[in-house]
Amino acid sequence: MPLRENRQVRLVARPRGIPQAEHFSLVTEPVAAVGKGEILIQNRYLSVDPAQRGWANDEGNYSAPVPLNTPMRALAVGEILESNAPEFRAGEFVYGWFGWQTHCVAAPDAVLRRVQPSALPLSANLSLLGINGLTAYLAFHGLGDPKPGEHVLVSTAAGSVGSFVGQLAHIAGCRAVGLTGSAEKAALAQARYGYQAMINYRDSTDLPAVIREACPEGNDIFFDNTGGAIADAAIRTMRLHGRIIQCGTAANASWTPVPTGPRAEREILTRRLRWSGFIIFDHIAEFEAAATRLTEFALDGKIVHDEEILPGLEHAPGAIAQLYRGDNHGKLIVAVD
Ligand SMILES: NC(=O)c1ccc[n+]([C@@H]2O[C@H](COP(=O)([O-])OP(=O)(O)OC[C@H]3O[C@@H](n4cnc5c(N)ncnc54)[C@H](OP(=O)(O)O)[C@@H]3O)[C@@H](O)[C@H]2O)c1
């Protein structure tokens, strides 16, 4: 049998701040032999995630950065071609840590979920049923504790996670207001993602006043994906006993030196707020139940999932920077073929 080729996108230089195309290189090598207990996966779709900034550089991390000259750490969905592990068989589709490459030889613990057959496209396993939809569902319900009639504010509302939070808030009977960086994305989020009002934060000279105006009754839940100036203003709109979910920090391009801003502790104290950090990988045991619920919502027409699919592995190197420019329309995915 001819040797199979593995095309990889390797991290070749350590970025400061946001990784750019020049920090990566495309390399071809033979697919590694499948050892005892291992599986060989052929990737079909690769995920592009804001968290890859923190996996590529070594600032503000909670895990070790990707070693140089190795495939970029990434979630992917693919088909098992060979299995030497008793719990998997060839032909199954799986979602997990398979990297930015065409093929991956992995131990079974690299798999986060088996793809369940449904009418949804395979790529939905990286968006609605990947960490974006799962984060929206598990963080919003687990930490937000939403009740009908409550007021919800969401940053990066037109992005992948934000699009699902708006729709889940709507399903929960809440009034959701979102923030995004363009008029076009604001209109999209209001039309498709359950938001009753949207704020274009790039278009505002007095963000605190604009947020107060859009949320005249204050907010019970702030689902924050940016931190920075948006969070500084949003915290001051929280109602008594409000819940802040710290899900991302997209507004801070670098943690060296540590950014500074207005102090929040007086707001936390006087408004009796609960401010919780959320990391999706603490919740792997809940993935299957959440994915089942999200699939039902999608098949019942209650949730839409928008994806922007880049055609080919060669588009991966520039994709993280594209995400941070806000140029993505829905979940950014790279198709391998
Ligand atoms: N905690 C977890 O376990 C977990 C899991 C998944 C995702 N997340 C976080 O959730 C957030 C959204 O992730 P996603 O995958 O759905 O990406 P996304 O929202 O589809 O894309 C990222 C968005 O961030 C916004 N952005 C970029 N730079 C910004 C800045 N300086 N200020 C404000 N907004 C900026 C852009 O939207 P605009 O055009 O609207 O600015 C961009 O489209 C990220 O912060 C990510 O790290 C966290």
Side-chain angles (χ1 to χ4, degrees), residues 14-15 17-19 49-66 72-73 255 320 324:
R14 185 80 58 212
I18 297 164
D49 288 294
Q52 286 174 302
R53 173 177 70 182
W55 302 339
N57 65 33
D58 50 9
E59 302 166 24
N61 283 341
Y62 71 94
S63 59
V66 177
M72 182 57 201
R73 186 181 301 156
W255 292 95
I320 303 170
Y324 277 98

Short mmCIF file of all heavy atoms in Angstrom, two decimals, residues 14-15 17-19 49-66 72-73 255 320 324:
data_model
loop_
_atom_site.label_atom_id
_atom_site.label_comp_id
_atom_site.label_asym_id
_atom_site.label_seq_id
_atom_site.Cartn_x
_atom_site.Cartn_y
_atom_site.Cartn_z
N ARG A 14 6.89 31.76 17.71
CA ARG A 14 6.04 32.08 18.87
C ARG A 14 5.50 33.50 18.72
O ARG A 14 6.28 34.46 18.72
CB ARG A 14 6.90 31.94 20.13
CG ARG A 14 6.19 32.10 21.43
CD ARG A 14 5.42 30.90 21.92
NE ARG A 14 6.15 29.68 22.11
CZ ARG A 14 5.62 28.46 21.93
NH1 ARG A 14 4.35 28.31 21.56
NH2 ARG A 14 6.32 27.37 22.13
N PRO A 15 4.16 33.67 18.54
CA PRO A 15 3.65 35.03 18.36
C PRO A 15 3.58 35.80 19.68
O PRO A 15 3.47 35.19 20.74
CB PRO A 15 2.23 34.80 17.83
CG PRO A 15 1.85 33.43 18.27
CD PRO A 15 3.13 32.65 18.46
N GLY A 17 0.83 38.30 21.18
CA GLY A 17 -0.52 38.71 20.81
C GLY A 17 -1.13 37.72 19.82
O GLY A 17 -1.01 36.50 19.98
N ILE A 18 -1.73 38.25 18.76
CA ILE A 18 -2.55 37.41 17.86
C ILE A 18 -1.68 36.71 16.82
O ILE A 18 -0.93 37.36 16.10
CB ILE A 18 -3.62 38.29 17.19
CG1 ILE A 18 -4.57 38.85 18.27
CG2 ILE A 18 -4.41 37.51 16.15
CD1 ILE A 18 -5.42 40.01 17.83
N PRO A 19 -1.77 35.37 16.69
CA PRO A 19 -0.98 34.66 15.68
C PRO A 19 -1.38 35.07 14.26
O PRO A 19 -2.58 35.19 13.96
CB PRO A 19 -1.33 33.19 15.92
CG PRO A 19 -1.97 33.13 17.27
CD PRO A 19 -2.59 34.47 17.51
N ASP A 49 -10.45 28.70 16.61
CA ASP A 49 -10.98 29.19 17.89
C ASP A 49 -10.15 30.34 18.42
O ASP A 49 -8.90 30.29 18.33
CB ASP A 49 -10.97 28.05 18.92
CG ASP A 49 -12.05 27.03 18.62
OD1 ASP A 49 -13.22 27.40 18.71
OD2 ASP A 49 -11.71 25.89 18.26
N PRO A 50 -10.80 31.36 19.03
CA PRO A 50 -10.04 32.44 19.66
C PRO A 50 -9.03 31.90 20.68
O PRO A 50 -7.95 32.48 20.85
CB PRO A 50 -11.11 33.28 20.35
CG PRO A 50 -12.37 32.99 19.63
CD PRO A 50 -12.25 31.57 19.16
N ALA A 51 -9.34 30.81 21.34
CA ALA A 51 -8.44 30.26 22.36
C ALA A 51 -7.10 29.83 21.77
O ALA A 51 -6.10 29.71 22.50
CB ALA A 51 -9.09 29.06 23.05
N GLN A 52 -7.03 29.64 20.45
CA GLN A 52 -5.75 29.22 19.83
C GLN A 52 -4.68 30.31 19.98
O GLN A 52 -3.50 30.01 19.93
CB GLN A 52 -5.97 28.87 18.36
CG GLN A 52 -6.68 27.53 18.21
CD GLN A 52 -7.01 27.23 16.77
OE1 GLN A 52 -7.71 27.99 16.12
NE2 GLN A 52 -6.50 26.12 16.25
N ARG A 53 -5.13 31.57 20.17
CA ARG A 53 -4.14 32.63 20.44
C ARG A 53 -3.34 32.26 21.69
O ARG A 53 -2.11 32.32 21.70
CB ARG A 53 -4.86 33.97 20.65
CG ARG A 53 -3.93 35.08 21.11
CD ARG A 53 -4.64 36.41 21.25
NE ARG A 53 -5.57 36.45 22.37
CZ ARG A 53 -6.33 37.50 22.67
NH1 ARG A 53 -6.31 38.58 21.91
NH2 ARG A 53 -7.14 37.47 23.70
N GLY A 54 -4.07 31.84 22.75
CA GLY A 54 -3.41 31.49 24.00
C GLY A 54 -2.65 30.17 23.93
O GLY A 54 -1.73 29.94 24.70
N TRP A 55 -3.05 29.29 22.99
CA TRP A 55 -2.33 28.01 22.85
C TRP A 55 -1.03 28.23 22.06
O TRP A 55 -0.08 27.46 22.19
CB TRP A 55 -3.20 26.97 22.14
CG TRP A 55 -4.50 26.69 22.84
CD1 TRP A 55 -4.79 26.94 24.16
CD2 TRP A 55 -5.69 26.12 22.27
NE1 TRP A 55 -6.08 26.57 24.43
CE2 TRP A 55 -6.66 26.07 23.30
CE3 TRP A 55 -6.05 25.67 21.00
CZ2 TRP A 55 -7.95 25.57 23.10
CZ3 TRP A 55 -7.32 25.18 20.80
CH2 TRP A 55 -8.27 25.12 21.83
N ALA A 56 -1.01 29.27 21.20
CA ALA A 56 0.18 29.52 20.36
C ALA A 56 1.20 30.39 21.07
O ALA A 56 2.39 30.16 20.96
CB ALA A 56 -0.24 30.19 19.05
N ASN A 57 0.73 31.42 21.78
CA ASN A 57 1.69 32.26 22.50
C ASN A 57 1.77 31.75 23.94
O ASN A 57 1.22 30.71 24.26
CB ASN A 57 1.33 33.75 22.40
CG ASN A 57 0.03 34.09 23.08
OD1 ASN A 57 -0.33 33.49 24.07
ND2 ASN A 57 -0.69 35.06 22.53
N ASP A 58 2.51 32.42 24.78
CA ASP A 58 2.60 31.88 26.15
C ASP A 58 2.25 32.97 27.16
O ASP A 58 2.92 33.15 28.15
CB ASP A 58 3.97 31.26 26.43
CG ASP A 58 5.10 32.19 26.05
OD1 ASP A 58 4.81 33.36 25.73
OD2 ASP A 58 6.25 31.75 26.07
N GLU A 59 1.14 33.69 26.85
CA GLU A 59 0.72 34.78 27.71
C GLU A 59 -0.64 34.46 28.32
O GLU A 59 -1.58 34.14 27.61
CB GLU A 59 0.57 36.08 26.91
CG GLU A 59 1.84 36.48 26.20
CD GLU A 59 1.56 37.55 25.15
OE1 GLU A 59 0.56 38.26 25.27
OE2 GLU A 59 2.35 37.65 24.21
N GLY A 60 -0.77 34.57 29.62
CA GLY A 60 -2.06 34.44 30.29
C GLY A 60 -2.66 33.06 30.14
O GLY A 60 -3.87 32.89 30.15
N ASN A 61 -1.82 32.02 29.97
CA ASN A 61 -2.32 30.67 29.71
C ASN A 61 -2.69 29.92 30.97
O ASN A 61 -2.11 30.16 32.01
CB ASN A 61 -1.23 29.85 29.02
CG ASN A 61 -1.12 30.21 27.57
OD1 ASN A 61 -2.04 30.79 27.03
ND2 ASN A 61 0.00 29.89 26.98
N TYR A 62 -3.60 28.97 30.81
CA TYR A 62 -3.82 28.02 31.89
C TYR A 62 -3.30 26.64 31.50
O TYR A 62 -3.37 25.70 32.24
CB TYR A 62 -5.30 27.97 32.30
CG TYR A 62 -6.21 27.33 31.29
CD1 TYR A 62 -6.54 25.99 31.38
CD2 TYR A 62 -6.73 28.07 30.24
CE1 TYR A 62 -7.36 25.40 30.45
CE2 TYR A 62 -7.55 27.49 29.30
CZ TYR A 62 -7.86 26.15 29.41
OH TYR A 62 -8.66 25.56 28.47
N SER A 63 -2.76 26.53 30.28
CA SER A 63 -2.13 25.27 29.87
C SER A 63 -0.86 25.61 29.10
O SER A 63 -0.69 26.73 28.62
CB SER A 63 -3.09 24.46 28.99
OG SER A 63 -3.43 25.20 27.85
N ALA A 64 0.04 24.61 28.96
CA ALA A 64 1.32 24.86 28.29
C ALA A 64 1.07 25.19 26.82
O ALA A 64 0.17 24.63 26.19
CB ALA A 64 2.19 23.61 28.39
N PRO A 65 1.85 26.13 26.23
CA PRO A 65 1.64 26.46 24.83
C PRO A 65 2.08 25.32 23.91
O PRO A 65 2.82 24.43 24.31
CB PRO A 65 2.52 27.70 24.63
CG PRO A 65 3.54 27.64 25.69
CD PRO A 65 2.92 26.91 26.86
N VAL A 66 1.61 25.37 22.67
CA VAL A 66 1.98 24.37 21.66
C VAL A 66 3.50 24.45 21.42
O VAL A 66 4.03 25.54 21.18
CB VAL A 66 1.26 24.71 20.33
CG1 VAL A 66 1.67 23.74 19.23
CG2 VAL A 66 -0.24 24.72 20.52
N MET A 72 -0.44 22.67 14.87
CA MET A 72 -1.17 23.59 15.73
C MET A 72 -2.27 22.83 16.47
O MET A 72 -3.03 22.06 15.87
CB MET A 72 -1.78 24.71 14.88
CG MET A 72 -2.53 25.76 15.69
SD MET A 72 -1.47 26.51 16.96
CE MET A 72 -2.70 27.14 18.07
N ARG A 73 -2.32 23.05 17.80
CA ARG A 73 -3.37 22.41 18.61
C ARG A 73 -4.73 22.91 18.12
O ARG A 73 -4.94 24.11 17.95
CB ARG A 73 -3.19 22.79 20.08
CG ARG A 73 -4.14 22.07 21.03
CD ARG A 73 -3.90 22.53 22.47
NE ARG A 73 -2.55 22.28 22.90
CZ ARG A 73 -1.92 22.95 23.88
NH1 ARG A 73 -2.55 23.90 24.53
NH2 ARG A 73 -0.67 22.67 24.21
N TRP A 255 -1.41 39.91 27.46
CA TRP A 255 -1.45 39.97 28.94
C TRP A 255 -0.10 40.39 29.49
O TRP A 255 0.15 40.29 30.69
CB TRP A 255 -1.91 38.63 29.51
CG TRP A 255 -3.34 38.42 29.16
CD1 TRP A 255 -3.82 37.72 28.09
CD2 TRP A 255 -4.49 38.98 29.81
NE1 TRP A 255 -5.20 37.81 28.04
CE2 TRP A 255 -5.62 38.58 29.10
CE3 TRP A 255 -4.65 39.80 30.94
CZ2 TRP A 255 -6.91 38.95 29.45
CZ3 TRP A 255 -5.94 40.17 31.30
CH2 TRP A 255 -7.05 39.75 30.55
N ILE A 320 -6.85 32.51 12.41
CA ILE A 320 -7.01 33.05 13.78
C ILE A 320 -7.04 34.58 13.72
O ILE A 320 -7.86 35.23 14.38
CB ILE A 320 -5.89 32.54 14.71
CG1 ILE A 320 -5.87 31.00 14.74
CG2 ILE A 320 -6.07 33.09 16.12
CD1 ILE A 320 -4.66 30.40 15.44
N TYR A 324 -9.98 37.38 14.88
CA TYR A 324 -9.77 38.54 15.75
C TYR A 324 -10.05 39.87 15.04
O TYR A 324 -10.29 40.88 15.69
CB TYR A 324 -8.37 38.52 16.38
CG TYR A 324 -8.36 37.64 17.61
CD1 TYR A 324 -7.92 36.32 17.56
CD2 TYR A 324 -8.85 38.11 18.83
CE1 TYR A 324 -7.96 35.50 18.67
CE2 TYR A 324 -8.89 37.29 19.95
CZ TYR A 324 -8.43 36.00 19.86
OH TYR A 324 -8.48 35.19 20.97
#
